[in-house]
Structure formats: structure tokens, C-alpha cells
Amino acid sequence: MKIIVNGGAIEATGPTLADLLEELGQDTAKVATAVNEDFVPVGVRATRVLNDGDRVEIVAPRQGG
């Protein structure tokens, strides 16, 4: 399915957000995720099914100030 990740279009093969993170090599990273501008907690990623055209944001925390 075609989805938008951080502004860029990709083809995802897995049905869930957790699958997508694994495909992108982000499955063990400490990141925040949102689908269609709705925050998705870590514990829900494995059950959050993605649909064609969904917009996913993956954000890593940064240090600084």
C-alpha cells in the first residue's frame, strides 16, 4: 500500500504501524508516532492498521536547549 511517511511517499508491505517501523528499521528506536495527525502510543502500534494514503509521522527526540 502507498503511504506518506514524514512527507515522502513509500510502498509499505505490512498492515500495521509496528510492521512499518520494522520495515524502516525503526522498530527498536525510541520514536514518537502519529497517523493522520493522531498520536499513536507504543503499546498500540501493533494493532494500529494502516490504510492506503495514510500519513505517518515518525519523530525522534533531540537533546539540546
Side-chain angles (χ1 to χ4, degrees):
M1 87 187 93
K2 187 180 228 179
I3 59 173
I4 308 299
V5 177
N6 292 349
I10 68 162
E11 278 292 324
T13 58
T16 69
L17 180 56
D19 293 329
L20 173 65
L21 291 172
E22 185 175 349
E23 287 177 39
L24 297 174
Q26 298 287 325
D27 53 324
T28 59
K30 300 243 186 245
V31 294
T33 55
V35 176
N36 300 324
E37 300 181 9
D38 291 325
F39 173 72
V40 180
V42 173
V44 180
R45 292 176 184 168
T47 59
R48 177 55 171 92
V49 176
L50 298 173
N51 298 298
D52 197 49
D54 277 349
R55 295 177 327 276
V56 177
E57 294 293 325
I58 303 168
V59 181
R62 289 186 165 181
Q63 275 189 303

